[in-house]
mmCIF file of all heavy atoms in Angstrom:
data_model
loop_
_atom_site.group_PDB
_atom_site.id
_atom_site.type_symbol
_atom_site.label_atom_id
_atom_site.label_comp_id
_atom_site.label_asym_id
_atom_site.label_seq_id
_atom_site.Cartn_x
_atom_site.Cartn_y
_atom_site.Cartn_z
ATOM 1 N N ASP A 233 8.826 10.485 -47.601
ATOM 2 C CA ASP A 233 8.042 10.459 -48.847
ATOM 3 C C ASP A 233 8.896 11.074 -49.945
ATOM 4 O O ASP A 233 8.789 12.253 -50.275
ATOM 5 C CB ASP A 233 6.731 11.238 -48.646
ATOM 6 C CG ASP A 233 5.826 11.154 -49.870
ATOM 7 O OD1 ASP A 233 6.143 10.384 -50.804
ATOM 8 O OD2 ASP A 233 4.804 11.871 -49.888
ATOM 9 N N ASN A 234 9.751 10.275 -50.587
ATOM 10 C CA ASN A 234 10.720 10.804 -51.551
ATOM 11 C C ASN A 234 10.054 11.416 -52.772
ATOM 12 O O ASN A 234 10.463 12.480 -53.258
ATOM 13 C CB ASN A 234 11.667 9.692 -52.005
ATOM 14 C CG ASN A 234 12.315 8.980 -50.828
ATOM 15 O OD1 ASN A 234 11.821 7.951 -50.398
ATOM 16 N ND2 ASN A 234 13.384 9.536 -50.298
ATOM 17 N N ASN A 235 9.017 10.780 -53.332
ATOM 18 C CA ASN A 235 8.406 11.249 -54.583
ATOM 19 C C ASN A 235 7.147 12.067 -54.363
ATOM 20 O O ASN A 235 6.477 12.433 -55.327
ATOM 21 C CB ASN A 235 8.102 10.070 -55.506
ATOM 22 C CG ASN A 235 7.124 9.086 -54.868
ATOM 23 O OD1 ASN A 235 6.549 9.365 -53.812
ATOM 24 N ND2 ASN A 235 6.937 7.943 -55.499
ATOM 25 N N CYS A 236 6.829 12.334 -53.116
ATOM 26 C CA CYS A 236 5.655 13.162 -52.783
ATOM 27 C C CYS A 236 4.373 12.591 -53.356
ATOM 28 O O CYS A 236 3.415 13.335 -53.638
ATOM 29 C CB CYS A 236 5.863 14.602 -53.287
ATOM 30 S SG CYS A 236 7.244 15.463 -52.495
ATOM 31 N N VAL A 237 4.340 11.280 -53.491
ATOM 32 C CA VAL A 237 3.152 10.615 -54.024
ATOM 33 C C VAL A 237 2.841 9.413 -53.140
ATOM 34 O O VAL A 237 3.720 8.592 -52.868
ATOM 35 C CB VAL A 237 3.374 10.143 -55.479
ATOM 36 C CG1 VAL A 237 2.133 9.397 -55.974
ATOM 37 C CG2 VAL A 237 3.663 11.325 -56.384
ATOM 38 N N GLY A 238 1.611 9.285 -52.675
ATOM 39 C CA GLY A 238 1.167 8.085 -51.969
ATOM 40 C C GLY A 238 1.658 7.954 -50.542
ATOM 41 O O GLY A 238 1.500 6.893 -49.929
ATOM 42 N N GLY A 239 2.270 8.970 -50.010
ATOM 43 C CA GLY A 239 2.729 8.914 -48.632
ATOM 44 C C GLY A 239 4.152 8.404 -48.511
ATOM 45 O O GLY A 239 4.874 8.237 -49.490
ATOM 46 N N VAL A 240 4.526 8.103 -47.242
ATOM 47 C CA VAL A 240 5.891 7.688 -46.948
ATOM 48 C C VAL A 240 6.100 6.232 -47.348
ATOM 49 O O VAL A 240 5.322 5.357 -46.963
ATOM 50 C CB VAL A 240 6.200 7.885 -45.451
ATOM 51 C CG1 VAL A 240 7.569 7.336 -45.111
ATOM 52 C CG2 VAL A 240 6.092 9.349 -45.076
ATOM 53 N N ASP A 241 7.131 5.967 -48.108
ATOM 54 C CA ASP A 241 7.599 4.611 -48.436
ATOM 55 C C ASP A 241 6.511 3.747 -49.061
ATOM 56 O O ASP A 241 6.444 2.533 -48.814
ATOM 57 C CB ASP A 241 8.152 3.912 -47.181
ATOM 58 C CG ASP A 241 9.287 4.671 -46.548
ATOM 59 O OD1 ASP A 241 9.980 5.395 -47.265
ATOM 60 O OD2 ASP A 241 9.468 4.539 -45.318
ATOM 61 N N GLU A 242 5.653 4.368 -49.911
ATOM 62 C CA GLU A 242 4.617 3.549 -50.538
ATOM 63 C C GLU A 242 5.254 2.506 -51.447
ATOM 64 O O GLU A 242 6.298 2.740 -52.056
ATOM 65 C CB GLU A 242 3.623 4.421 -51.328
ATOM 66 C CG GLU A 242 4.111 4.903 -52.689
ATOM 67 C CD GLU A 242 5.006 6.120 -52.582
ATOM 68 O OE1 GLU A 242 5.218 6.589 -51.441
ATOM 69 O OE2 GLU A 242 5.505 6.596 -53.593
ATOM 70 N N GLY A 243 4.597 1.319 -51.451
ATOM 71 C CA GLY A 243 5.100 0.231 -52.277
ATOM 72 C C GLY A 243 6.110 -0.654 -51.580
ATOM 73 O O GLY A 243 6.529 -1.672 -52.140
ATOM 74 N N PHE A 244 6.505 -0.312 -50.377
ATOM 75 C CA PHE A 244 7.490 -1.118 -49.647
ATOM 76 C C PHE A 244 6.803 -1.816 -48.468
ATOM 77 O O PHE A 244 5.977 -1.217 -47.777
ATOM 78 C CB PHE A 244 8.633 -0.245 -49.131
ATOM 79 C CG PHE A 244 9.533 0.280 -50.211
ATOM 80 C CD1 PHE A 244 9.294 1.526 -50.782
ATOM 81 C CD2 PHE A 244 10.595 -0.477 -50.670
ATOM 82 C CE1 PHE A 244 10.114 2.008 -51.774
ATOM 83 C CE2 PHE A 244 11.426 0.007 -51.669
ATOM 84 C CZ PHE A 244 11.183 1.246 -52.233
ATOM 85 N N ASP A 245 7.146 -3.109 -48.232
ATOM 86 C CA ASP A 245 6.637 -3.862 -47.078
ATOM 87 C C ASP A 245 7.513 -3.532 -45.874
ATOM 88 O O ASP A 245 8.669 -3.950 -45.787
ATOM 89 C CB ASP A 245 6.676 -5.367 -47.362
ATOM 90 C CG ASP A 245 6.039 -6.185 -46.241
ATOM 91 O OD1 ASP A 245 5.567 -5.585 -45.253
ATOM 92 O OD2 ASP A 245 6.025 -7.431 -46.351
ATOM 93 N N LYS A 246 6.956 -2.770 -44.975
ATOM 94 C CA LYS A 246 7.707 -2.342 -43.790
ATOM 95 C C LYS A 246 7.274 -3.089 -42.525
ATOM 96 O O LYS A 246 7.679 -2.738 -41.427
ATOM 97 C CB LYS A 246 7.521 -0.838 -43.574
ATOM 98 C CG LYS A 246 8.028 -0.002 -44.725
ATOM 99 C CD LYS A 246 7.599 1.463 -44.599
ATOM 100 C CE LYS A 246 8.101 2.101 -43.338
ATOM 101 N NZ LYS A 246 7.735 3.531 -43.239
ATOM 102 N N ASN A 247 6.447 -4.137 -42.681
ATOM 103 C CA ASN A 247 5.915 -4.868 -41.529
ATOM 104 C C ASN A 247 6.879 -5.995 -41.141
ATOM 105 O O ASN A 247 7.166 -6.891 -41.950
ATOM 106 C CB ASN A 247 4.545 -5.446 -41.844
ATOM 107 C CG ASN A 247 3.512 -4.362 -42.052
ATOM 108 O OD1 ASN A 247 3.675 -3.234 -41.589
ATOM 109 N ND2 ASN A 247 2.438 -4.672 -42.765
ATOM 110 N N TRP A 248 7.332 -5.931 -39.936
ATOM 111 C CA TRP A 248 8.238 -6.953 -39.398
ATOM 112 C C TRP A 248 7.604 -7.572 -38.161
ATOM 113 O O TRP A 248 6.971 -6.884 -37.364
ATOM 114 C CB TRP A 248 9.591 -6.336 -39.032
ATOM 115 C CG TRP A 248 10.294 -5.688 -40.188
ATOM 116 C CD1 TRP A 248 10.282 -4.375 -40.518
ATOM 117 C CD2 TRP A 248 11.085 -6.341 -41.180
ATOM 118 N NE1 TRP A 248 11.020 -4.143 -41.640
ATOM 119 C CE2 TRP A 248 11.544 -5.346 -42.080
ATOM 120 C CE3 TRP A 248 11.464 -7.657 -41.412
ATOM 121 C CZ2 TRP A 248 12.340 -5.623 -43.167
ATOM 122 C CZ3 TRP A 248 12.279 -7.948 -42.493
ATOM 123 C CH2 TRP A 248 12.706 -6.942 -43.364
ATOM 124 N N TYR A 249 7.789 -8.889 -37.986
ATOM 125 C CA TYR A 249 7.154 -9.617 -36.889
ATOM 126 C C TYR A 249 8.186 -10.498 -36.184
ATOM 127 O O TYR A 249 9.153 -10.966 -36.782
ATOM 128 C CB TYR A 249 6.021 -10.510 -37.408
ATOM 129 C CG TYR A 249 4.897 -9.751 -38.081
ATOM 130 C CD1 TYR A 249 4.938 -9.504 -39.451
ATOM 131 C CD2 TYR A 249 3.816 -9.283 -37.351
ATOM 132 C CE1 TYR A 249 3.913 -8.808 -40.083
ATOM 133 C CE2 TYR A 249 2.781 -8.591 -37.968
ATOM 134 C CZ TYR A 249 2.840 -8.351 -39.337
ATOM 135 O OH TYR A 249 1.827 -7.666 -39.946
ATOM 136 N N LEU A 250 7.885 -10.732 -34.934
ATOM 137 C CA LEU A 250 8.760 -11.567 -34.110
ATOM 138 C C LEU A 250 8.288 -13.014 -34.162
ATOM 139 O O LEU A 250 7.096 -13.297 -34.025
ATOM 140 C CB LEU A 250 8.742 -11.071 -32.661
ATOM 141 C CG LEU A 250 9.709 -11.743 -31.679
ATOM 142 C CD1 LEU A 250 11.154 -11.468 -32.105
ATOM 143 C CD2 LEU A 250 9.466 -11.228 -30.271
ATOM 144 N N ASP A 251 9.227 -13.922 -34.361
ATOM 145 C CA ASP A 251 8.955 -15.365 -34.273
ATOM 146 C C ASP A 251 9.729 -15.895 -33.077
ATOM 147 O O ASP A 251 10.802 -16.476 -33.205
ATOM 148 C CB ASP A 251 9.376 -16.060 -35.566
ATOM 149 C CG ASP A 251 9.079 -17.565 -35.524
ATOM 150 O OD1 ASP A 251 8.305 -17.996 -34.641
ATOM 151 O OD2 ASP A 251 9.642 -18.300 -36.357
#
Side-chain angles (χ1 to χ4, degrees):
D233 184 8
N234 307 95
N235 61 9
C236 296
V237 177
V240 175
D241 302 333
E242 78 279 359
F244 290 93
D245 185 0
K246 299 169 60 178
N247 294 338
W248 301 96
Y249 298 90
L250 186 64
D251 181 15

